Amino acid sequence: MHRFRDAAVLERWQSSKERALFFATCTGHQHTETARRELTGMETWFAKPGEARPAPPRWKMAISSGLAIFPISLLGNAVLGPHVAGLPLVLRTGVFTVLFSVLMTYVAMPNMSRLLRRRLHG
């Protein structure tokens, strides 16, 4: 299992001479790719740093995300809604997007995945 900072770093590794040389000189080992799964979305919210555990099923991630989104949405609309009601739709949506992104990434999902860890990973 490999993790990469971004798609460009992954691509550099996949096409690197070092990777090709590594697999060319593995004596006694035949390198064949049996499966490939690239995780680029919500799966990273559920990954524990330094752990190679696979992501939970998507339906569990969807339920967990919904449980995290609901209180943010409720709080955002109750507290922030009246203050941004007069703003144009695009600006109002931008305010809520920033709020949701920050709170989901740094508050809600770390706590939700920690709280539901046993249920998420069986």
Side-chain angles (χ1 to χ4, degrees):
M1 177 177 282
H2 307 285
R3 281 194 180 188
F4 298 90
R5 181 179 59 241
D6 55 39
V9 174
L10 167 63
E11 180 57 37
R12 278 199 306 272
W13 166 247
Q14 294 287 67
S15 59
S16 71
K17 291 178 185 174
E18 294 84 7
R19 181 178 184 271
L21 182 63
F22 175 76
F23 286 116
T25 60
C26 287
T27 55
H29 291 63
Q30 188 71 4
H31 173 68
T32 56
E33 193 170 292
T34 57
R36 176 185 295 235
R37 186 170 167 212
E38 292 182 16
L39 306 178
T40 59
M42 290 191 326
E43 294 91 348
T44 56
W45 275 339
F46 298 93
K48 190 174 181 182
E51 199 172 282
R53 180 186 300 186
R58 287 180 182 232
W59 68 269
K60 287 184 178 183
M61 290 190 291
I63 290 172
S64 302
S65 300
L67 290 171
I69 289 169
F70 183 77
I72 294 172
S73 181
L74 189 63
L75 184 68
N77 281 300
V79 174
L80 204 54
H83 300 289
V84 297
L87 295 176
L89 178 62
V90 172
L91 191 55
R92 194 169 59 231
T93 302
V95 169
F96 279 107
T97 300
V98 170
L99 173 73
F100 275 50
S101 298
V102 170
L103 290 178
M104 285 293 289
T105 301
Y106 294 105
V107 179
M109 288 314 298
N111 288 312
M112 189 61 62
S113 60
R114 186 173 45 254
L115 180 69
L116 298 177
R117 188 165 312 280
R118 286 187 181 189
R119 284 194 169 80
L120 288 169
H121 296 285

